[in-house]
Amino acid sequence: MRPPWCGRRTRGIPLGLLALWVAAARCLQSQGVSLHIPRSAINATVQEDILLSVDYSCHGVPTIEWKYTSNWGVQKIVEWKPGTPANVSQSHRDRVCTFDNGSIQLFSVGVRDSGYYVITVTEHPGSRQFGTIVLHVSEIRYEDLHFVAVFFALLAAVAAVLISLMWVCNRCAYKFQRKRRHKLQESTTEELEMKDVEC
């Protein structure tokens, strides 16, 4: 006797191929690159040091590349493999530090550094992940300078009031002394006149 499935080939082979395809896809997916970006947008002020933090996982040693995109175009910042020296572009030579987890640190950022920073982690051709961090760098906030300006204006006003009071006090003292001198002169002239009258 033949088993009931023995002459029917319609479902056995396609289901087997489907199962094989799913297993291969899972196997390839587990060998791919995964990339995690904790902060996809960063706000900073001029002269700050900024960490563009990422973390990746893969089975091999990947190539990590960072590019900067702005209104002026795309510029490569750095490319390296973990454990090897980084190939830093001339424009960022003394301004970037790389880490084995894929993160980079930018030193002393300026407004010109605002833009999109794109990381590409490539394990082998066809296995790569992209990620983007948006950096916005603004000028130093002027609220602090406004406070200082108001404080100095207040000090100047207080100094002006004190100087005015000192001037008024000086004038009053001068008038008082003048009256006193005048009274002394009158009293001495009266005494002299009295002596003259008595003589």
Side-chain angles (χ1 to χ4, degrees):
M1 257 193 128
R2 286 180 14 181
W5 48 269
C6 205
R8 301 180 195 161
R9 297 177 67 194
T10 55
R11 287 195 177 165
I13 293 176
L15 286 178
L17 285 176
L18 180 63
L20 184 62
W21 181 78
V22 168
R26 282 189 182 168
C27 182
L28 286 174
Q29 192 177 29
S30 68
Q31 291 178 359
V33 177
S34 68
L35 181 65
H36 174 67
I37 299 175
R39 289 178 61 196
S40 60
I42 298 174
N43 292 318
T45 55
V46 173
Q47 299 298 319
E48 264 189 81
D49 296 341
I50 301 301
L51 178 67
L52 301 178
S53 179
V54 298
D55 196 16
Y56 69 89
S57 64
C58 63
H59 293 288
V61 178
T63 301
I64 301 166
E65 180 184 53
W66 279 92
K67 289 183 180 179
Y68 165 66
T69 305
S70 69
N71 295 336
W72 299 280
V74 178
Q75 182 181 19
K76 184 175 176 179
I77 299 173
V78 64
E79 182 178 11
W80 81 99
K81 287 187 178 222
T84 63
N87 182 15
V88 182
S89 70
Q90 190 66 31
S91 61
H92 288 80
R93 179 85 39 207
D94 296 324
R95 299 187 50 233
V96 70
C97 176
T98 61
F99 298 93
D100 283 345
N101 70 346
S103 301
I104 61 172
Q105 186 168 17
L106 298 174
F107 299 111
S108 187
V109 295
V111 175
R112 70 188 182 285
D113 293 314
S114 294
Y116 297 92
Y117 289 81
V118 179
I119 180 174
T120 306
V121 180
T122 307
E123 187 175 14
H124 52 76
S127 177
R128 67 176 60 186
Q129 272 300 337
F130 299 95
T132 303
I133 296 177
V134 180
L135 176 62
H136 177 70
V137 181
S138 58
E139 292 285 341
I140 295 172
R141 298 206 170 121
Y142 290 103
E143 291 133 8
D144 298 334
L145 295 177
H146 178 73
F147 172 78
V148 170
V150 168
F151 179 73
F152 278 122
L154 182 64
L155 282 180
V158 168
V161 167
L162 288 176
I163 289 171
S164 299
L165 284 174
M166 287 174 60
W167 182 80
V168 167
C169 288
N170 189 25
R171 293 297 289 169
C172 288
Y174 177 75
K175 284 184 179 183
F176 178 75
Q177 285 177 350
R178 197 169 170 197
K179 276 185 182 180
R180 193 168 178 195
R181 258 191 244 136
H182 185 63
K183 280 185 182 180
L184 280 173
Q185 283 179 355
E186 282 181 6
S187 68
T188 46
T189 39
E190 282 178 11
E191 285 178 15
L192 287 174
E193 285 176 4
M194 293 265 236
K195 283 184 183 180
D196 283 347
V197 171
E198 288 176 5
C199 294

